[in-house]
Amino acid sequence: MAYSSIVKPEDYFNTKLWTGNGGTQSITGIGYAPDFVWIKKRTDADGARIFDTVRGAAKGIFTNSTQAETTVTSELSAFDSDGFTLGASDAVNGNTKSYVSWNWLGANGTASNSDGSVASTVSANTTAGFSIVTWTSLASGSNYTVGHGLGSAPAMIILKGRHESNNWMVYHHKNTSSPETDYLMLDDTAATADYPVWNDTAPTSSVFTCGTWSGFDAGGTMVAYCFAEKKGYSKFGSYTGNGNADGPFIYTGFKPAFLLYKQITDSGKSWYMNDNKRNVHNPVNGVLLADATDVENESHGNKIDFLSNGYKIHHTGTTINANGKTHIYMAFAEAPFVNSNGVPTNAR
């Protein structure tokens, strides 16, 4: 039996909570120097924003908006050896306000990649199956490939044009029976749709393909966050809801630490985020939205239990358990169900 090669998942992904001080603040205790930081304010309405080391500190992108990349030195001003430094912006460090960040480890450095038909700059962690990729686009309609550096095919890609107002494009390998033909938008509640964003071509172990989406315009600066599945650490799956209070159990092979999910059959369904730090004990129902400014809410009806080998749904809500509808998810581990020595971990 193959066991997880990642003994301690929090060495590669970790959630961090803090209370703002209204000035400057060093956020520490992540356990490594993060390359990708996704921050959301919990107590007031505000958009979630992403920072990464490849684009550079202070360069944020809102996941709930089509807005172009902005440079704001009062938000995340530096990446540090055990976290990051914040400025006085209320969006990330308002006095007495509560915040959360989800943090991924890349390569702690960049490399040039020539696997695709255009050159890319990559920070790739092949052990954890995560890479940050930047490149300059060719003209819209000029199909081309981009090297991602993972060494295995991405199961999920989250992509944005940095230079202008445009949607976030999402590839998920369980989106439909032919996921390379369809796309989702991280900043939108729309259902899955057919459009040649990916040139109807599935990503390979070395590249993904950019198609005729208008966001791929000539000279446009682009960023993509690519994720490949790693046994016992990450899972990018789907399930069909049953509309029952005794909802489905979704097997991941590990105890989840973080969960991003969306009902993709119907329009009007948000991207929901749960984690094991905001809800230390079951049920895990403190919801934040990737595509909206909403405050943290435990009244969405997304009642979930995080278990040793997956998660269990206990609600009929159409956002998480719509009868007969498809839901996709991205999950990262708190602990593998079976560790590298073949020893089962315990449930919460």
Side-chain angles (χ1 to χ4, degrees), residues 305-320:
D305 283 348
F306 282 177
L307 305 174
S308 64
N309 58 351
Y311 63 98
K312 170 71 174 176
I313 297 168
H314 296 284
H315 202 272
T316 61
T318 59
T319 59
I320 193 170

Side-chain angles (χ1 to χ4, degrees), residues 197-340:
V197 174
W198 319 109
N199 195 33
D200 294 349
T201 304
T204 71
S205 60
S206 58
V207 301
F208 58 86
T209 302
C210 297
T212 56
W213 173 51
S214 60
F216 298 132
D217 54 347
T221 52
M222 310 297 298
V223 63
Y225 305 104
C226 302
F227 303 89
E229 281 192 352
K230 294 297 178 180
K231 185 178 179 66
Y233 168 73
S234 62
K235 185 72 174 177
F236 305 84
S238 66
Y239 62 92
T240 302
N242 64 15
N244 195 299
D246 182 18
F249 165 75
I250 294 89
Y251 177 82
T252 60
F254 51 78
K255 185 192 305 182
F258 172 83
L259 187 63
L260 171 72
Y261 52 98
K262 186 186 191 314
Q263 198 255 84
I264 65 171
T265 309
D266 300 329
S267 63
K269 306 304 177 186
S270 282
W271 294 84
Y272 292 88
M273 295 184 284
N274 297 79
D275 63 67
N276 65 340
K277 297 293 177 65
R278 290 178 296 120
N279 290 118
V280 178
H281 304 291
N282 288 323
V284 180
N285 58 353
V287 166
L288 288 167
L289 306 182
D291 58 272
T293 61
D294 296 32
V295 300
E296 184 173 302
N297 192 335
E298 295 192 356
S299 302
H300 279 291
N302 294 7
K303 185 178 178 183
I304 306 170
D305 283 348
F306 282 177
L307 305 174
S308 64
N309 58 351
Y311 63 98
K312 170 71 174 176
I313 297 168
H314 296 284
H315 202 272
T316 61
T318 59
T319 59
I320 193 170
N321 190 22
N323 188 33
K325 304 302 175 70
T326 300
H327 307 69
I328 60 166
Y329 66 88
M330 171 173 81
F332 289 87
E334 175 184 332
F337 179 52
V338 177
N339 66 23
S340 58

